[in-house]
Amino acid sequence: VETKSYNLNNYNGIREIMPTDENMWISFINGDLILYDKNFSEIKKFTFGNDNIIRHLLSDRRGNLWAYLQTSNKIIRIDTDFKVNYLPEIKGTNLIEALKYGSDGLIYGGNAGKEFIAFSINPENNIIKDYTNLFNLKGYGGFTVADLAFDSDGTIYLASNFGLFTLKGEEAGK
């Protein structure tokens, strides 16, 4: 068994990691997002502000990186040429608890907060689609979409503090 330790970003608390074929994205709790090579030499560093926790690192089919800036409540896309794009705010969200890349090429997310929010983002054009009204969840306060999963027939599963919900096409259910 071989173990190693790396002094990355002066030990500023690693939040998430996402390996790619050639490199490794690492987010830190101080608001830094750094791309390292396989030897952990820094390739590119982004700073999104002190204590702006970076969550939900994922990659789309084009190799763009997507992430959620928790403190500023923004979803970003970093293109392969390292251009940072800020998506429009998703109405009603105050904490995106789940963000995942679906097999259909869309990015799906869910909210934790006063009300239920479910959405998708098309990475090709950044169009955000709101699925919230497909679910009959009026009166459910303090709702959290804790996780998302996808099966081979296109059903999306939303795990929540109020049970398991499904979404397929334009149909929603519990």
Side-chain angles (χ1 to χ4, degrees):
V1 175
E2 180 182 341
T3 63
K4 291 183 179 180
S5 176
Y6 298 91
N7 181 8
L8 302 176
N9 200 26
N10 297 315
Y11 292 113
N12 275 321
I14 293 174
R15 171 64 190 172
E16 290 193 16
I17 58 175
M18 191 192 79
T20 67
D21 290 339
E22 302 294 323
N23 304 308
M24 174 83 71
W25 285 101
I26 301 179
S27 72
F28 297 85
I29 60 172
N30 69 342
D32 288 345
L33 177 63
I34 302 175
L35 179 63
Y36 293 97
D37 66 17
K38 291 294 182 181
N39 296 314
F40 294 100
S41 296
E42 187 176 302
I43 296 172
K44 185 74 175 173
K45 179 178 181 178
F46 300 89
T47 299
F48 293 102
N50 195 23
D51 299 324
N52 206 344
I53 298 170
I54 302 164
R55 302 177 65 195
H56 309 304
L57 301 178
L58 54 102
S59 180
D60 66 23
R61 292 179 182 158
R62 292 183 170 180
N64 300 315
L65 178 77
W66 294 76
Y68 173 60
L69 306 178
Q70 181 175 320
T71 307
S72 59
N73 195 30
K74 299 276 186 197
I75 295 175
I76 60 167
R77 183 189 75 231
I78 300 176
D79 297 336
T80 55
D81 63 358
F82 300 119
K83 179 183 176 200
V84 178
N85 301 278
Y86 291 83
L87 271 66
E89 186 172 333
I90 296 170
K91 186 180 178 198
T93 61
N94 60 336
L95 174 62
I96 295 173
E97 191 63 36
L99 194 67
K100 294 214 175 157
Y101 191 68
S103 59
D104 59 1
L106 298 179
I107 296 168
Y108 291 88
N111 188 53
K114 293 182 208 173
E115 60 185 75
F116 169 80
I117 306 286
F119 60 90
S120 69
I121 303 167
N122 184 329
E124 302 296 319
N125 54 22
N126 293 341
I127 291 178
I128 298 168
K129 184 173 182 178
D130 186 351
Y131 296 104
T132 305
N133 292 329
L134 295 177
F135 296 88
N136 186 15
L137 296 172
K138 298 286 186 214
Y140 283 77
F143 203 99
T144 298
V145 176
D147 198 9
L148 299 162
F150 312 90
D151 70 13
S152 60
D153 76 353
T155 300
I156 303 162
Y157 297 88
L158 296 93
S160 81
N161 57 327
F162 286 101
L164 182 66
F165 295 84
T166 60
L167 177 64
K168 183 171 182 179
E170 295 296 319
E171 297 178 20
K174 180 177 180 187

